[in-house]
Amino acid sequence: MKKIATGNKAVAEAVKQIQPAVIAAYPITPQTEIVEQIAEFVSSGELKSRYIPVESEHSAMAACIGASITGVRTFTATSSHGLLYMHEMTNWAAGARLPVVMANVNRSIGPGWNIWAEHTDAMQERDTGWLQVYVSTVQEAYDTTLMAFRIAEHNDVLLPVMVNLDGFSLSHIMQPLDTVETGDFLPPMYLPHAIDPKNPAGYGGLTGPEQHFKFRWDIERSMRDSVKIIDETEKDFANRFGRKYGFTEDYQCDDADVVIVSMGTLGKEAEVAIDMLRREGVRAGSMRLRWLRPFPKLNLKGKEIVVIDRDYSFGFGGVLAKSIQAQQKTDVFSVIAGLGGQEVTYEDIADFIRKRRIGEEFWFGVNDHV
Amino acid sequence: MISLQELDTIGEIPQEEYVLKCTSACAGCSDSLALRYVLKAAGPDTVLVVPACCTSVIQGIYPNTAFNIPVYNIAFAAAAACASGMSNAFRATGKKTNVIVYAGDGGTLDIGIQSMSGAFERGTDFLYICYDNEAYGNTGMQRSGATPMGARTTTTPTGKIDAKKDIDAIIAAHNPPYMATAAAAYPQDLFKKVQKALTFRGPSFIHVLAPCPPGWRFSTEKTVEIGKLAVKSGMWILYEREFGKLTINPQSKAAMKRPVPLEEYLAPQGRFKGIDAKTFETLRQHLVKNIKKLSAEEAEE
């Protein structure tokens, strides 16, 4: 069904389609509309979920964990400080192998208070064992939320999935949205370790070093296995509903001499920059990274690489730039841009490519010129 | 009225054991003693949600467990929120499974108070049991909000200056359908209260006094004796509140009329050794005030 929706509304529409048994969430700007829309769907009866209006994000994730371990679908949404506040429990959800799905509306971290887009919030969760995907359009936010449940619940994965969408520049932007009937795209959930009073077991108790080590490895093994499951799920989604995504969205990369890598809405902006540069005769391409975890093997051999990071690891560098540099075993031009919702136009992005200095790091809006 | 199974003798308590032998509890532990009766009262269709506390240690090391009931261990601050999700999930799928939080005083009065308050305010269908050994026992007896004034812990080496937090008043302010105090030294009373609590829909709360031999510094055979002295001295008052209506247990009524001297309760406990006269007097006045407050509340009704 065709409609017009914001990124937030698209996420809520996807949740309505999935009908999780339990939803627990706490409002935070700019995620609030997801929570409000879900509450409306619940009160109108369109969404049959039990909605728990928890008193904090820490409790939101704890409630999802408590519900999920009984073997039912759960969902939550948060942003920024909310995500950091639940950090203890995001680790718990992954360690307990629970397929919780969460939308995170990317926003910067204080102080000072800044409610605009930045990826630092989710980046601080990247080592928790969650799968992370970053979307760039309203339709993609919807489609990816649907796929997230199937991927998380697949018994070769059983890890939580975080769907990231940029605060305001996607959460509050209106675009066309085509909703679907998922049908048997999403099979019934089966949690092999669900709590069963008829078969009592201890969960998450004291664990010695040897066993703990095995559990950690098991998370990594599933993370590796999830590559295949993501691929299968995305292909099946494309077959059924006609929309294809993948680990990266590549735009004019095949014959490109230089490729700019980014995530989220900046990746869409970059495509406009590529069109501009192509008209100037520059053979440039854009690679928008969708899945940050598991981190895919990127095909960038023989290209010059420019990376935009909407995040920063102090004392180290842009997280994406450093990751790509390590994987490709080559220097990149690292651009730090868009922090705290800083405006980055396609013209700015074209400039990053035109004036690239491989091996250097550039803070857009801080250093005078590229 | 809720009809209760009459229990004249302890022999009528079910024979089934859910706390099996080989827990790693200390000798004379009140936590495992109380839990034994809690689970007998709750029966097999129960999930225990346990935050970081002595109970997360005494259940044993993976892959073994000494509890013959599903136990979900969760982070320190998160027990009530986790139980809230679990209870909602069970009810959403038509299951009546009891969801019981079994948490220490740290996880209840201190780090877990926010999620507990939230779960009570939202009317979560669960039973929250706080077993109170009046300090952080799991980490070796540091002070908690439940440590009484004058008691020595590893972080109050000369005795606690502040008074014990009145968690029962805080819970009462949430108006749960049922709340009670109990003590590991009175297992029949605890058993009855757990059974009763589980008949209510919505949140219920039981605050269990759990004397701790190594923490309170008394010899292990005295656990029950110390627990009884807590009640007989009026330091711990056994009661229940059903939809706000207070009923004080007969044992406590008797004690409130003619309490044994407070010294008799404090003297066998090493943690109160060397308590100064002023602190002792303040403690005693707290006790008298509390007796008056509860007597007045009961008389009013």
Side-chain angles (χ1 to χ4, degrees), chain A residues 21-22 50 52-56 58-60 62-70 72 85 88-89 92 96 98 195-197 199-208 211 215, chain B residues 44-47 56-57 59-63 65 67-78 81-82 84-86 88-93 95 97 114-115 118-119 122:
Chain A
V22 175
R50 289 212 167 202
I52 314 179
V54 282
E55 82 298 329
S56 76
H58 193 276
S59 287
C64 285
I65 289 168
S68 184
I69 191 61
T70 73
V72 303
Y85 192 41
E88 181 184 28
M89 304 321 297
W92 206 281
L98 298 173
I195 277 191
D196 177 8
N199 181 23
Y203 294 81
L206 288 186
T207 308
Q211 303 289 356
F215 285 130
Chain B
D45 193 15
T46 298
V47 178
S56 41
V57 178
Q59 58 193 268
I61 298 180
Y62 177 86
T65 174
F67 297 170
N68 195 15
I69 201 136
V71 180
Y72 199 73
N73 291 283
I74 193 76
F76 212 171
C82 175
S84 158
M86 195 177 282
N88 271 282
F90 281 139
R91 302 304 172 258
T93 47
K95 291 181 186 134
T97 308
Q114 174 183 314
S115 69
R122 293 189 301 271

Side-chain angles (χ1 to χ4, degrees), chain B residues 1 52 60 71 76 104 115 118 130 140 148 157 181 186 221 228 292:
Chain B
M1 264 312 275
V71 180
F76 212 171
S115 69
C130 170
T181 57
Y186 296 84
E221 76 280 5
K228 292 204 163 170
K292 275 190 187 155

Side-chain angles (χ1 to χ4, degrees), chain A residues 286-298:
Chain A
S286 161
M287 179 179 283
R288 182 174 64 83
L289 185 68
R290 260 169 55 79
W291 290 89
L292 181 74
R293 289 291 182 276
F295 196 80
K297 194 149 177 37
L298 303 178

Side-chain angles (χ1 to χ4, degrees), chain A residues 92 204-206, chain B residues 24 29 31 35 48-60 67 71-77 79 101-108 111 128-133 135-140:
Chain A
W92 206 281
L206 288 186
Chain B
S24 49
C29 176
D31 166 1
L35 184 59
L48 210 58
V49 177
V50 178
C53 61
C54 288
T55 309
S56 41
V57 178
I58 69 173
Q59 58 193 268
F67 297 170
V71 180
Y72 199 73
N73 291 283
I74 193 76
F76 212 171
V101 170
Y102 196 68
D105 43 302
T108 304
I111 196 169
Y128 192 112
I129 297 176
C130 170
Y131 65 99
D132 184 357
N133 65 357
Y136 301 149
N138 185 7
T139 44

Side-chain angles (χ1 to χ4, degrees), chain A residues 26 28 31 57 76-83 86 102-105:
Chain A
Y26 191 78
I28 178 169
Q31 154 268 32
E57 289 88 354
T76 187
T78 191
S79 173
S80 181
H81 286 262
L83 181 63
M86 66 167 69
M102 168 163 66
N104 177 54
V105 184

Side-chain angles (χ1 to χ4, degrees), chain B residues 9-278:
Chain B
T9 66
I10 205 143
E12 289 177 39
I13 289 175
Q15 295 293 306
E16 285 80 11
E17 296 292 350
Y18 302 98
V19 177
L20 305 178
K21 291 172 184 173
C22 314
T23 70
S24 49
C26 308
C29 176
S30 298
D31 166 1
S32 47
L33 173 63
L35 184 59
R36 185 175 174 214
Y37 292 95
V38 166
L39 294 179
K40 280 170 181 280
D45 193 15
T46 298
V47 178
L48 210 58
V49 177
V50 178
C53 61
C54 288
T55 309
S56 41
V57 178
I58 69 173
Q59 58 193 268
I61 298 180
Y62 177 86
N64 301 308
T65 174
F67 297 170
N68 195 15
I69 201 136
V71 180
Y72 199 73
N73 291 283
I74 193 76
F76 212 171
C82 175
S84 158
M86 195 177 282
S87 165
N88 271 282
F90 281 139
R91 302 304 172 258
T93 47
K95 291 181 186 134
K96 290 190 172 128
T97 308
N98 300 313
V99 177
I100 302 181
V101 170
Y102 196 68
D105 43 302
T108 304
L109 282 81
D110 297 339
I111 196 169
I113 195 167
Q114 174 183 314
S115 69
M116 183 185 63
S117 174
F120 273 78
E121 184 264 333
R122 293 189 301 271
T124 307
D125 188 22
F126 78 144
L127 166 59
Y128 192 112
I129 297 176
C130 170
Y131 65 99
D132 184 357
N133 65 357
E134 303 191 320
Y136 301 149
N138 185 7
T139 44
M141 297 320 271
Q142 295 79 36
R143 93 190 269 288
S144 82
T147 305
M149 182 184 285
R152 289 199 232 170
T153 66
T154 56
T155 50
T156 53
T158 54
K160 194 189 176 201
I161 297 160
D162 313 294
K164 183 177 174 111
K165 189 192 283 187
D166 188 355
I167 192 68
D168 302 311
I170 295 169
I171 293 290
H174 292 75
N175 293 312
Y178 183 80
M179 63 178 287
T181 57
Y186 296 84
Q188 287 161 281
D189 180 56
L190 173 62
F191 179 88
K192 283 190 208 175
K193 283 172 174 166
V194 171
Q195 276 205 330
K196 191 166 180 181
L198 291 170
T199 63
F200 291 87
R201 279 189 73 126
S204 46
F205 180 80
I206 302 179
H207 189 182
V208 183
L209 184 70
C212 167
W216 295 14
R217 301 178 213 173
F218 60 81
S219 53
T220 54
E221 76 280 5
K222 288 205 158 103
T223 298
V224 171
E225 193 183 318
I226 298 274
K228 292 204 163 170
L229 278 169
V231 170
K232 286 176 182 164
S233 63
M235 264 299 259
W236 191 257
I237 299 176
L238 298 172
Y239 65 80
E240 59 185 356
R241 255 197 206 95
E242 209 175 317
F243 296 107
K245 190 188 176 319
L246 176 73
T247 310
I248 299 170
N249 278 44
Q251 300 98 319
S252 278
K253 274 195 176 167
M256 286 154 83
K257 271 185 204 132
R258 269 181 299 280
V260 304
L262 182 57
E263 295 90 320
E264 283 187 35
Y265 173 56
L266 302 192
Q269 302 180 43
R271 62 174 177 160
F272 288 112
K273 202 175 166 197
I275 187 172
D276 62 74
K278 199 178 149 213

